[in-house]
């Protein structure tokens, strides 16, 4: 598909893959495993690494290549915390439990930093901070209340930047100020996925890609896992498929799929712009996200030469080529000087939301699970994988507040939201327009 915005050689694979495309592995599917992990992304790899550190033999299975999904497609923004903090969380779980959940989520940032340092993963990690841009003055006021709660509950530094000072954090007048959060980083997600997989393999995990799990059946002494490459028997099973829990060919865990809402997220990469342009658009080279319901998230590339812009370009099934012009339009609304900039890459991938806006780990019918990162899974998925591995191995020395929470679904929901997403997306876009006009 040709478009005037596409540069020569335009690709629909992630820009990250230019440096770190997930490799293919030729490992055979074994007949038996002590622990079988279904899903070879951050959560599954982090779990495998922890299990091996605890002396547990482990096999990781993925329908595609290890790290092929969201783990090598995301925006590379590393944040610790939850999207709901404060009254909503405390109303749902009580003041004490709500604050414990918020603290547990905040611990995901130091965990991933420690993992990167300990395993010597070369993934361009920088603790750069994030600017959350307010779509309207009302959004700014809500952020100010949230910033106070974040500092009070988690101790993580956050401060407000009014619109008059917005250009200290963002080279644009498109927003109404926002919140600066210091405890946020950036990395190259492809390199991190590759490095985490290598760390798990060094520790002794067996990584098997190109094997699609078709069913998990409990039997005496463990589980029988049916795949398109034969059967595998395991003493224990962990499912970490997150946004890829259901596809047109089925699911490994119908129970988990019914509790996750997979959404497509889309990203574009511009042609090289030069570091002087990047430093003007991104003072301090922070990560940026906005407060729209149909949000945008954007950042400079790790090499400081291009803009990476992501968002919910479509709530219908759309290809990367189809979504790219819409994302380019959102980008140039924020940065008008990029109107003539062409795109070298556009890609898409799945993220998973839950009905209570919380990530979860737990056990259902003997099968362990970790999922529901709400589109902020770089640190959180790694952290969930570690904690569910501790639980599985019986090595947790204290309760994990995200373990065993009620995990809601909806009547008649099967895990496929596509029939209703266009209506929800249209409603969200309308509310965003109303908020903007009121400003």
């Amino acid at each position: 598909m040709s478009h005037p915005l596409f540069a020569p050689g335009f690709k629909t694979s992630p820009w990250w893959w230019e440096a770190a495309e997930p490799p293919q592995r030729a490992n055979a599917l074994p007949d038996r495993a002590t622990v079988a992990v279904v899903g070879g992304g951050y959560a599954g790899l982090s779990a495998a690494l922890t299990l091996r550190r605890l002396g547990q033999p482990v096999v990781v299975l993925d329908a595609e290549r290890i790290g092929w999904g969201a783990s090598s497609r995301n925006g590379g923004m590393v944040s610790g915390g939850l999207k709901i903090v404060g009254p909503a969380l405390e109303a749902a779980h009580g003041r004490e439990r709500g604050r414990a959940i918020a603290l547990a989520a905040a611990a995901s940032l130091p965990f991933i930093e420690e993992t990167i340092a300990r395993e010597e993963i070369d993934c361009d990690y920088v603790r750069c901070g994030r600017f959350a841009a307010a779509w309207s003055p009302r959004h700014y006021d809500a952020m100010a209340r949230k910033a106070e709660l974040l500092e009070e509950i988690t101790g993580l530094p956050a401060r407000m930047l009014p619109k008059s000072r917005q250009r200290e954090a963002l080279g644009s007048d498109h927003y109404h100020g926002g919140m600066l959060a210091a405890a946020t980083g950036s990395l190259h997600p492809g390199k991190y996925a590759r490095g985490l997989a290598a760390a798990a393999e060094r520790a002794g995990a067996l990584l098997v890609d190109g094997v699609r799990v078709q069913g998990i059946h409990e039997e005496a002494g463990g589980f029988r896992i049916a795949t398109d490459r034969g059967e595998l028997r395991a003493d224990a099973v962990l499912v970490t498929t997150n946004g890829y829990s259901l596809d047109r060919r089925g699911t490994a865990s119908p129970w988990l799929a019914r509790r996750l809402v997979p959404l497509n997220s889309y990203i574009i990469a511009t042609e090289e712009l030069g570091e002087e342009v990047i430093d003007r658009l991104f003072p301090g080279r922070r990560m940026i996200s906005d407060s729209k319901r149909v949000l945008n998230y954007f950042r400079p590339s790790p090499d400081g030469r291009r803009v990476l812009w992501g968002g919910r370009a479509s709530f219908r099934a759309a290809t990367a080529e189809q979504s790219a012009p819409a994302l380019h339009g959102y980008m140039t609304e924020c940065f008008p000087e990029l109107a003539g900039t062409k795109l070298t890459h556009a890609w898409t991938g799945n993220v998973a939301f839950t009905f209570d806006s919380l990530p979860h780990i737990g056990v259902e019918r003997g099968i362990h699970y970790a999922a529901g990162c709400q589109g902020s899974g770089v640190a959180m998925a790694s952290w969930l994988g570690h904690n569910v591995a501790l639980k599985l191995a019986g090595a947790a020395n204290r309760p994990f507040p995200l373990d065993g929470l009620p995990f809601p679904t909806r009547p008649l929901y099967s895990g496929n939201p596509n029939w209703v997403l266009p209506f929800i997306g249209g409603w969200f876009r309308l509310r965003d327009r109303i908020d903007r006009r009121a400003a």
Side-chain angles (χ1 to χ4, degrees), residues 123-357:
C123 59
D124 303 321
Y125 178 74
V126 179
R127 187 185 276 212
C128 57
R130 177 183 292 197
F131 180 63
W135 181 239
S136 71
R138 288 183 61 187
H139 289 200
Y140 180 90
D141 293 340
M143 281 183 185
R145 294 190 293 272
K146 183 177 180 179
E148 293 175 0
L149 284 167
L150 279 172
E151 287 205 306
E152 178 188 348
I153 295 172
T154 67
L156 300 177
R159 64 184 177 89
M160 299 305 296
L161 200 66
K163 184 169 185 176
S164 61
R165 296 178 55 196
Q166 179 169 281
R167 283 188 171 263
E168 295 176 20
L170 177 65
S172 171
D173 299 316
H174 188 56
Y175 296 101
H176 290 265
M179 181 176 66
L180 281 171
T184 305
S186 68
L187 52 67
H188 187 301
K191 291 181 180 179
Y192 176 58
R194 184 176 62 183
L196 193 59
E201 285 183 310
R202 286 196 305 272
L206 176 63
L207 309 185
V208 184
D209 56 17
V211 54
R212 183 173 297 277
V213 173
Q214 300 170 325
I216 303 171
H217 311 281
E218 191 171 10
E219 61 182 19
F223 298 88
R224 177 172 54 86
I225 303 171
T227 83
D228 59 356
R229 287 171 54 183
E231 290 190 343
L232 165 69
R233 283 175 165 77
D235 298 335
V237 178
L238 166 61
V239 179
T240 60
T241 44
N242 204 46
Y244 293 84
S245 294
L246 178 70
D247 65 20
R248 59 185 174 84
R249 284 173 282 185
T251 176
S253 174
W255 183 90
L256 183 61
R258 290 192 63 234
R259 285 152 178 82
L260 299 173
V261 181
L263 292 179
N264 281 349
S265 193
Y266 300 86
I267 306 181
I268 53 175
T270 69
E271 61 191 344
E272 290 194 2
L273 303 172
E275 294 192 41
E276 69 284 353
V277 176
I278 293 299
D279 286 334
R280 183 169 66 252
L281 302 180
F282 298 93
R285 298 195 182 180
R286 296 178 178 88
M287 304 292 97
I288 313 290
S289 61
D290 66 25
S291 63
K292 292 171 63 179
R293 293 170 182 84
V294 185
L295 87 162
N296 294 294
Y297 55 94
F298 45 106
R299 58 166 293 177
S301 59
D303 61 6
R305 295 179 181 177
R306 64 185 75 214
V307 174
L308 306 177
W309 188 286
R312 311 279 183 261
S314 175
F315 285 88
R316 300 179 185 274
T319 65
E321 296 102 323
Q322 291 168 337
S323 67
L327 289 179
H328 189 277
Y330 301 150
M331 178 180 71
T332 55
E333 286 177 0
C334 180
F335 300 128
E337 68 183 271
L338 300 184
T341 300
K342 293 187 180 295
L343 307 178
T344 61
H345 296 73
W347 67 97
T348 183
N350 291 359
V351 296
F353 290 78
T354 59
F355 290 104
D356 61 359
S357 300

